[in-house]
Amino acid sequence: MVLIQIIGFGFVTALAALLLKSTKPELSLAVTIVGGILILLSAFELLEDSLSILKKIAEISSLSSVLIKTLIKIVGIGYITEFSAGILQDFGSNSVADKVVFGGKIIIFTLTLPIVEKLLELVLSFLSLL
Amino acid sequence: MMDFSIIFKIAGLGILITVVCQVLKKSDRDDIATLVSLIGVVLALTVVISLVGDLFTAVKSIFELY
């Protein structure tokens, strides 16, 4: 049961971090990071199957695979940047976390811009038909 | 399937190092105490960094980054 596992990870991590916070704050941070990673890894095991189903749906609906790949890639970039920014915020450096999130946004923007361009080209080709 | 043991390992490391530091500080060896606490942080961070690498490779393979 993954749900019970995730809840257990959360409680154990919180307790261990609380135990260490007063004496060794830097090790409490390490415990928090490890707990977060374990929770995410156990959740990602489920996600893998769902993504393959999503790809199958895209295949059936004859959408271009590049679009679906870009979509999934954007979700992955979002997860990684959010996770890293959360760790940095726990570390106390909010400004660096903001910059990491900003960098992730720029990367997502560069990934999406070609798709927007493709859409505009499609609209232009429709206009030239008139 | 991950296990809880890594969290307990780091928490136990922290408690052990706290005790060692207290003993060393009480016996007037502050320099060794700082060294011990530094080594503890490095040990914890090596575990953490390998796990972060695991997570990032998992995300990369699932979401097909690169």
Side-chain angles (χ1 to χ4, degrees):
Chain A
M1 192 75 179
V2 183
L3 178 67
I4 306 291
Q5 196 187 357
I6 287 173
I7 293 170
F9 275 141
F11 275 109
V12 169
T13 311
L15 269 178
L18 198 68
L19 201 68
L20 285 173
K21 201 166 228 167
S22 53
T23 49
K24 286 248 172 291
E26 64 270 27
L27 284 177
S28 145
L29 177 84
V31 168
T32 316
I33 295 172
V34 168
I37 288 172
L38 290 182
I39 289 171
L40 282 186
L41 278 180
S42 47
F44 277 153
E45 278 173 21
L46 294 178
L47 200 60
E48 213 161 8
D49 304 332
S50 315
L51 281 182
S52 66
I53 294 173
L54 188 70
K55 266 177 215 155
K56 214 180 280 169
I57 292 173
E59 235 168 68
I60 293 168
S61 63
S62 71
L63 271 172
S64 145
S65 69
V66 181
L67 285 178
I68 295 297
K69 253 184 196 165
T70 319
L71 193 71
I72 292 172
K73 214 183 259 187
I74 287 168
V75 174
I77 290 169
Y79 274 138
I80 288 185
T81 47
E82 275 302 317
F83 179 76
S84 311
I87 288 176
L88 286 170
Q89 250 166 14
D90 280 350
F91 202 64
S93 45
N94 283 321
S95 57
V96 184
D98 281 348
K99 266 143 216 158
V100 167
V101 172
F102 186 59
K105 276 177 189 164
I106 288 176
I107 292 171
I108 289 173
F109 176 69
T110 55
L111 273 177
T112 47
L113 206 56
I115 297 176
V116 175
E117 193 192 5
K118 224 179 268 175
L119 177 74
L120 286 181
E121 273 169 10
L122 195 69
V123 171
L124 266 181
S125 69
F126 278 146
L127 282 178
S128 63
L129 282 178
L130 292 175
Chain B
M1 213 59 161
M2 311 300 295
D3 51 352
F4 289 93
S5 63
I6 304 172
I7 298 174
F8 284 132
K9 220 183 266 174
I10 294 178
L13 185 77
I15 293 168
L16 185 77
I17 282 169
T18 312
V19 171
V20 170
C21 274
Q22 291 289 331
V23 170
L24 283 172
K25 266 181 194 156
K26 284 279 182 308
S27 56
D28 276 344
R29 291 199 179 137
D30 285 358
D31 48 340
I32 303 177
T34 35
L35 213 62
V36 166
S37 73
L38 193 68
I39 288 168
V41 172
V42 168
L43 279 177
L45 281 186
T46 43
V47 177
V48 170
I49 284 171
S50 69
L51 263 175
V52 171
D54 278 358
L55 175 75
F56 278 15
T57 46
V59 173
K60 250 193 235 170
S61 66
I62 291 173
F63 293 102
E64 294 173 13
L65 298 173
Y66 305 112

